[in-house]
Amino acid sequence: MMRREWIALLAGLLVAAVMAVVPWFAGDYEVSFGINLLQFGVMATAWGLFSGPTRNVSLATVAFFGVGAYTVAVASDVLPWPVVLAIAFVIGMVLALVVGFATLRLSGVHFVIFTFGLAELVKQLVTWYEVNVTKTLGRYVFLDVTQHQIYLLLLALLVVVLLFGWFVRRTRLGLALRVIGADETVARHVGVNPAFAKQVLFAITSGFIALTGAIVAPRWTYLDPAIAFSPMISFEVVIMALLGGATRLLGPLAGVVPLVFLFELLSARFPNYFSILLGVTFLVIVYFLPNGVTGFVERVWSRFRSAATLNRGGGR
Amino acid sequence: MSTPLLQIEGLTRAFGGLVAVNRLSFSVQPGEIVGLLGPNGSGKTTALNLISGALVADSGSTLFRGHQLRGLPAHRIARLGVARTFQLVRVLDSMTCRENVEAGLAYHKGGAFGRAAHPRAEALLDRVGLGGKAHALADDLNYIDQKRLELARALALSPALLLLDEWLAGLNPTELLAGIDLVHSLRRDGMTVLLVEHVMDAVHSLCDRCVVMNAGQKIADGQTAKVLDDPEVVRAYLGEEDRGDEEARATAGAGHA
């Protein structure tokens, strides 16, 4: 491991430690806002781990998030909370394996549409089940879990997801995904099985997203399919990851922080125009920052460096 | 004669009504350099795609060291020891030269990954004339260097059979000589090469044997000098009377051969 990576790792852990201490000094509103930040931080990072290298834009995020939340709503009466969290993670993975089996052969816009449709399908299935079998659309989650605990769990999950991403980049699987993203035909011809590589990463990152849904579920108290499976969540995750830059591990976080602030501001000040403003934000990001903030910073930096090299009379 | 390294029998692939490769049969002996020739649109690249698994044949068989390749996905074929370059050069733009080669090293037995792969990748870059460019982005290379990089990536698979699709096209005379030397050196290392090529100097210098295709079918197979004198081969290349290349191809595509 290089020295720079050790420094980055230590700095990251330091930031996490500081963030872990914050809730003891902050009010309810700040902790709640912190939960927003962390929940999107986890989801956008997990999304970027798969969609960044493979360039398969998934709109199924909320399907996994909602399934995680529903696992809690259904099982938390009978099972202890940690067991329920573990089950949510596994269900998320299994669902992703099933979905991946059907979709990962698709590419480009077909994949986008299919994942979007899938999220809606899951929502409709849950709705159908609740209406016809349980006869009530909503569920109540009464768990003795405080905001503070949710905050800490999400923070720990974010650390795990980042470490996982950092680790994967060092494995053959990580290289395979980058090769697939650059040119899938080449990937096949160097011996990579693209379907398998995508499947593995899609399943694990989806498990993380389901776990996020399970962790934040007690926050809502009342849960119905329209809340847990709101497609808005999928879109927000995509926008955040793209704003930050999905090809870098920390890229999505660079998009999460400003956008969670912005969405908070918009929904407080202009609740009626929220969707429109969200759409405009999306357009602006895709149009002006196609490689995200991190891509933009990198480009400016490399231009600055090559200018410096030229000034010294270097070059090739 | 020893058992062939590659034996193709009756390989056929149609795209809609066009039979791009039509009952193609030929074999390649270990250590040979065989040229796959033919006018544009005669099915050479499709034939390579069928061998490498980029396309699946409608019928026929491709035996490689006793393995039936037909029906196997490309990644399995690559792991068995068949590597290739592409007619339109394909490098991994967003990755460095060394990473491009390491992609070729990582996914087969006898390969390497991580720190162990660095020196091997750099040695391969040296070999194709890209020494010192390990950390350059593939996207920043010129066309010729991208072709070299693609070859280095194919060699990283330590293939028994190397498929080159017009790898020598577009080189200037000096580069061409260097390229020919490089392919010769591959044979000295025990590699068998099947190459699609239009540069006749290279074909004469490199190929022991040539297979000539026209309109999807094999029209000649034998020693390079003999094959290139074959009247049917000359006719396929130059066309009949004073027809242009396009017309000749259209006629050929309509089942002339």
Side-chain angles (χ1 to χ4, degrees), chain A residues 5-7 21 47 58 62 78 82 86 91 127 135 138 168 170 181 186 214 221-222 228 254 275 286 309:
Chain A
E5 289 178 331
W6 277 113
I7 294 170
V21 178
W47 185 91
S58 160
V62 79
V78 281
I91 290 183
T127 308
K135 309 279 185 196
V168 164
R170 264 144 202 80
V186 168
T221 317
Y222 172 81
S275 302
V286 172
T309 325

Side-chain angles (χ1 to χ4, degrees), chain A residues 18-20 22-23 26-43 147-156 158 212 215-216 219 240 253 256-257 260-261 264:
Chain A
V18 170
M19 285 184 71
V22 165
D28 285 349
Y29 173 77
E30 283 78 13
V31 173
S32 160
F33 182 75
I35 291 175
N36 272 345
L37 266 181
L38 289 170
Q39 105 181 25
F40 280 108
V42 172
M43 289 197 287
Q147 297 271 63
H148 191 166
Q149 286 168 317
I150 292 177
Y151 176 96
L152 289 179
L153 271 175
L154 284 175
L155 182 61
L158 181 60
T212 311
I215 292 174
V216 299
R219 240 184 139 190
M240 288 171 185
L253 288 181
V256 168
V257 176
V260 171
F261 272 101
E264 184 76 14

